[in-house]
Amino acid sequence: MRFSRRAGLLASPFLLPGLASAQGWAPTQPLRVIIPFPPGGTMDPVVRLAQDILAADLGRPVVVEHRPGGATVVGTIELQRAPADGHTMLMIANSFSANVTLRPNTPYNGLRDFAPLVMATVVPHVLAVHPSVARDFAGFLEAARRPGQGMSFGSYGIGTSNHLGGEQFRELAGLNATHVPYSGSSQANTDLIGGRLHFMFANLPDMIPLVQSGRVVAVGISNETRARELPDVPTMAELGFPLVLSDSWFGLITRAEVPAPARARLEAAWVAALARPEVKARLEEQGFTVLARPADQFGTEIRRYAETYAQVIRANNITVN
């Protein structure tokens, strides 16, 4: 599968390398971090663990605001409405890239109206199968390519990162499989354990105890490297599928009109906070891989996911209400 990266990329704030020096700008009021999900979600610890460190570095309090709704659209609109002065940020996930195609009628252009600050963390996805299906990747491929009724694969909902990753993998691998969406991970994991689903790309932390207890089999992991907790599970690249994108990442953006010195200062503060050993250790305990990638790299990743997701969504006629 080949992806064109030229069309529509010029003048995008997500591809501007080398922000201006972080010197010369300081906040003059409390900073807001908008989380576009309800309290208690997986984004919360990423912000909470860095919150006090950011405040000490930037010299102003950092306030967390939850603005759930519309598959992150409500929170994104709140950022769009905020003054372009550097005092408001939004934490985003893969859904930001998917929404470029899934929700084209939003009152903003996701790739034009916002600028990246830092790619904070990622949770890899494990390709998990029920033990009745296979015990390794080769056996899984053989079973999933057989003609006939076919298999079912689950996701945490239509348009979620493991749905789009599963559809992409199904197409690349030539699998005979049908998507079954759930409302979140809990019931999907339960049905995978019970054999009502045959396979699924699933969050690594959820799968570790299930794999170790033998209730599911991990045959691959969508990550750059093997997981420390599952060292015998090969990466999708090792298995011959390097293009598969199935994971859950978080990062920070702000409005594109925010002056470059302010963006550079915020970027530097986030990168430094996430690199602190105590922050990194606490996040890794909760299953995150800390990336702390700077703005230019994050912009490239946002675009890469948006392009891949667009192709998967259009090829499979995926729509959302």
Side-chain angles (χ1 to χ4, degrees):
M1 198 179 281
R2 298 179 63 86
F3 305 105
S4 173
R5 298 186 181 178
R6 292 185 59 86
L9 300 188
L10 297 180
S12 167
F14 289 105
L15 289 183
L16 295 178
L19 292 175
S21 170
Q23 302 301 317
W25 181 86
T28 58
Q29 61 193 58
L31 295 122
R32 303 165 63 204
V33 178
I34 299 168
I35 294 180
F37 295 101
T42 52
M43 279 186 174
D44 285 16
V46 179
V47 179
R48 299 291 184 186
L49 288 171
Q51 192 173 5
D52 291 343
I53 297 170
L54 291 169
D57 186 353
L58 295 167
R60 296 287 174 173
V62 177
V63 179
V64 177
E65 295 184 14
H66 291 271
R67 295 296 179 100
T72 75
V73 172
V74 171
T76 308
I77 291 174
E78 180 65 19
L79 174 62
Q80 182 189 34
R81 292 173 175 169
D85 57 9
H87 292 92
T88 305
M89 296 162 275
L90 172 73
M91 178 160 275
I92 64 170
N94 307 58
S95 54
F96 184 88
S97 291
N99 282 346
V100 172
T101 303
L102 279 176
R103 295 173 172 85
N105 297 320
T106 56
Y108 55 81
N109 183 308
L111 300 182
R112 182 191 65 209
D113 296 343
F114 307 102
L117 295 175
V118 61
M119 190 174 191
T121 63
V122 67
V123 174
H125 286 175
V126 172
L127 177 54
V129 306
H130 189 265
S132 65
V133 173
R135 305 300 304 186
D136 56 28
F137 185 75
F140 164 71
L141 276 189
E142 180 183 0
R145 286 170 171 169
R146 290 175 189 147
Q149 185 176 359
M151 293 187 177
S152 60
F153 73 95
S155 79
Y156 305 150
I158 295 174
T160 55
S161 58
N162 68 334
H163 171 208
L164 300 179
E167 294 284 12
Q168 184 194 25
F169 174 63
R170 179 192 57 75
E171 182 181 0
L172 288 169
L175 306 185
N176 181 20
T178 301
H179 173 234
V180 181
Y182 291 79
S183 297
S185 61
S186 178
Q187 189 59 47
N189 292 343
T190 297
D191 280 3
L192 179 64
I193 295 168
R196 290 174 289 278
L197 288 176
H198 295 99
F199 71 95
M200 179 171 65
F201 280 97
N203 288 330
L204 172 64
D206 293 345
M207 291 297 107
I208 290 171
L210 302 182
V211 172
Q212 292 174 340
S213 64
R215 286 176 285 176
V216 302
V217 178
V219 299
I221 184 168
S222 184
N223 196 36
E224 294 177 356
T225 60
R226 296 191 180 197
R228 180 181 66 253
E229 301 86 348
L230 301 175
D232 295 330
V233 179
T235 68
M236 297 306 296
E238 290 179 88
L239 295 168
F241 295 91
L243 295 178
V244 171
L245 291 182
S246 192
D247 53 28
S248 300
W249 51 256
F250 298 148
L252 280 299
I253 63 171
T254 190
R255 287 185 54 182
E257 298 90 346
V258 171
R263 284 186 276 138
R265 182 70 181 92
L266 295 171
E267 173 191 340
W270 271 105
V271 169
L274 291 166
R276 291 276 288 266
E278 65 271 27
V279 173
K280 186 174 181 181
R282 288 286 300 281
L283 289 171
E284 288 178 347
E285 287 173 2
Q286 298 181 54
F288 295 98
T289 297
V290 177
L291 300 175
R293 290 178 180 168
D296 57 345
Q297 294 181 28
F298 187 25
T300 298
E301 288 298 280
I302 290 171
R303 280 278 177 177
R304 182 167 74 99
Y305 278 76
E307 292 172 2
T308 300
Y309 287 163
Q311 184 162 345
V312 173
I313 290 164
R314 290 166 182 157
N316 293 281
N317 297 312
I318 298 170
T319 59
V320 294
N321 294 327

